[in-house]
Amino acid sequence: MTRKKQIIIPIGILLAGVGLMAGLSNMKKPPEEKPEVDTTPIVAVEDISVTPLTLEVASYGIVQPKYETELVAQVSGQIVELSEAFLRGGQVKKGQLLARIDPSDYEAALIDAQATMASARSALETERAQGKVAEQEWKRITDSSPTELSLRKPQLAQELARVKAAQAAVLRAKRNLERTEIRAPYDAMIDSRNIGLGSFVGVGTQVGKVLGTDTAEVRLPVADNQLQFLTDQGVHAQVILNGVFAGKERQWPATIARSEGVVDNKSRMSYLVAEINDPYALTGNSEPLRFGAYVNASIQGIEIAHAAVVPRYLVNDGRVAILDNESLLRYVDLEIARQDGANVVVSNGLKQGDRLIVSALDFPVDGMKLALGDEEDAAENDNDQQAVESDADTQIASVED
């Protein structure tokens, strides 16, 4: 009996456990099915704009006059007259009198030279008459040929030389008299004046300095590798100068007149010279551009008919990634015309409307499927808007009920 109990009890416990497990298994809910997750990478894009583009080369420089002249006295004497415009900053016209040296001695020298010339001419006429008389007398006395001395030709040549010397003395005296007047060589601005009324000046004394106001120049340094972006290495190129006048940003047009043709041995730069007409706006067409002003320059270079500007960080091995019409990633080869700071200028490889991928991808593969982040956000926004409208309709219906 005891042995039967030992067998029956374990079997009963085992059956009860199996039944309990079966009951619990029947009570367990089946696992919920999870919705399928879209793992397509989401990217952001920017539309490519292809337009004509003119390349520019940046530079800088100091505005200087094209012509500047040190005025010096060419005769000696006392300053007896000064122009009111002969002051630092004064504007003068070509030929305008700036200063006058006492002309008394030079007027007297001119009168003396003219008198000497008159006397020499009189002596020349007398010698010519005597030569004719000598020739007539020789013919009356003999039929032989007369000598040069008999006809007084040496004496005539001597008097002719004296007349020429007298003429030269008159010209010299006139020139010295003219030099007593110091005049502006061109339309100019007075840079300095070193004399005063009553001062005595000698030959070579510096009396002042003038700066031509018709044309100004700016020497523009350009790196050698930038010359490739300029037509004819920049000669005759248009330039926009940017500077400050009266506290405001201004612009002035200029033209590259020439290249200096050498490379500076210190900066290793080539220099282009830009010219500005009427820098002081004497005709009133623009704001003055003062000598000594610092300006930044944009030199207009070659033109690209179809150019696109792309951020430099998106270019890898001369290629960029775009999103095609089927939302697939495609790599396109670029023809890069120039690297410009954080951007590159592309002359070939991109078309108007191409969608440039601007977001980072972990493992980009040519031809992979992509999705636009903007489209997903827009879809979510539409769903949210529909949900809001549905809630609003429900609330309205509840109120009406």
Side-chain angles (χ1 to χ4, degrees):
M1 189 69 181
T2 304
R3 183 174 294 178
K4 290 182 178 180
K5 289 181 180 181
Q6 290 177 349
I7 295 172
I8 294 172
I9 291 173
I11 292 174
I13 294 172
L14 180 62
L15 292 173
V18 171
L20 180 63
M21 290 181 63
L24 293 175
S25 177
N26 291 330
M27 293 175 63
K28 185 178 179 181
K29 295 181 178 180
E32 295 181 358
E33 294 184 1
K34 295 183 179 181
E36 185 178 352
V37 178
D38 186 3
T39 60
T40 304
I42 299 172
V43 295
V45 298
E46 289 183 0
D47 291 339
I48 291 294
S49 176
V50 178
T51 58
L53 178 65
T54 300
L55 299 183
E56 296 182 350
V57 174
S59 188
Y60 58 89
I62 304 296
V63 181
Q64 300 290 343
K66 183 176 182 179
Y67 300 110
E68 54 182 84
T69 303
E70 298 281 354
L71 300 176
V72 296
Q74 294 179 283
V75 294
S76 59
Q78 186 180 29
I79 301 296
V80 295
E81 183 180 348
L82 284 176
S83 170
E84 293 182 356
F86 194 19
L87 295 169
R88 184 176 178 84
Q91 299 282 346
V92 295
K93 294 292 186 179
K94 180 179 180 180
Q96 183 174 340
L97 179 67
L98 303 180
R100 189 191 303 275
I101 299 172
D102 187 1
S104 302
D105 292 340
Y106 302 98
E107 290 173 347
L110 176 59
I111 294 173
D112 183 50
Q114 289 173 339
T116 301
M117 184 176 66
S119 177
R121 283 179 174 173
S122 177
L124 176 62
E125 293 300 324
T126 300
E127 190 59 43
R128 282 175 177 168
Q130 290 179 351
K132 291 180 180 180
V133 171
E135 183 178 4
Q136 292 174 358
E137 290 180 352
W138 183 270
K139 289 180 179 179
R140 190 172 59 250
I141 295 173
T142 178
D143 293 334
S144 61
S145 299
T147 62
E148 295 287 332
L149 184 60
S150 300
L151 298 179
R152 300 184 64 85
K153 288 187 176 180
Q155 294 85 339
L156 181 62
Q158 182 179 11
E159 294 302 328
L160 183 60
R162 287 178 179 174
V163 169
K164 290 183 178 180
Q167 289 175 337
V170 170
L171 292 176
R172 190 180 303 110
K174 286 182 177 179
R175 186 181 62 221
N176 288 338
L177 181 60
E178 291 173 355
R179 287 174 174 173
T180 61
E181 296 179 347
I182 301 174
R183 297 182 177 273
Y186 39 72
D187 292 351
M189 182 181 69
I190 306 301
D191 182 65
S192 63
R193 192 191 78 186
N194 304 327
I195 58 173
L197 193 62
S199 300
F200 183 86
V201 296
V203 177
T205 300
Q206 183 176 335
V207 299
K209 183 178 180 180
V210 295
L211 310 175
T213 55
D214 283 343
T215 308
E217 288 186 343
V218 183
R219 295 179 70 237
L220 302 174
V222 177
D224 184 71
N225 61 358
Q226 296 295 304
L227 293 176
Q228 62 182 312
F229 305 121
L230 301 176
T231 305
D232 295 332
Q233 297 187 350
V235 178
H236 305 307
Q238 299 300 309
V239 183
I240 300 298
L241 301 178
N242 297 278
V244 177
F245 177 76
K248 295 182 179 180
E249 292 287 339
R250 306 289 185 183
Q251 288 188 342
W252 297 269
T255 305
I256 298 296
R258 66 185 186 278
S259 170
E260 292 188 352
V262 296
V263 177
D264 187 85
N265 57 3
K266 293 182 180 179
S267 65
R268 309 310 302 168
M269 293 280 195
S270 299
Y271 279 86
L272 303 178
V273 180
E275 289 189 355
I276 308 97
N277 294 323
D278 191 21
Y280 274 80
L282 300 180
T283 59
N285 294 330
S286 61
E287 297 292 345
L289 178 59
R290 297 166 294 183
F291 296 143
Y294 177 87
V295 292
N296 292 307
S298 295
I299 307 172
Q300 307 299 302
I302 60 177
E303 295 184 358
I304 301 177
H306 303 90
V309 179
V310 176
R312 187 175 178 179
Y313 72 90
L314 296 177
V315 180
N316 186 15
D317 293 333
R319 302 190 307 167
V320 292
I322 65 171
L323 190 66
D324 67 7
N325 294 331
E326 298 178 357
S327 296
L328 301 179
L329 183 148
R330 298 297 182 190
Y331 282 102
V332 295
D333 295 322
L334 304 180
E335 185 176 329
I336 298 176
R338 182 184 186 184
Q339 293 186 0
D340 187 12
N343 299 320
V344 295
V345 178
V346 178
S347 60
N348 195 11
L350 294 174
K351 303 185 298 296
Q352 180 73 24
D354 281 349
R355 295 181 293 178
L356 179 67
I357 299 175
V358 297
S359 57
L361 292 171
D362 291 334
F363 303 102
V365 178
D366 195 356
M368 69 185 297
K369 184 70 174 179
L370 299 174
L372 280 178
D374 293 342
E375 292 179 356
E376 183 175 340
D377 294 341
E380 291 180 356
N381 292 335
D382 290 341
N383 293 334
D384 293 343
Q385 182 66 26
Q386 291 175 1
V388 170
E389 292 176 355
S390 176
D391 292 343
D393 293 341
T394 301
Q395 292 176 2
I396 293 172
S398 298
V399 171
E400 289 178 353
D401 293 343

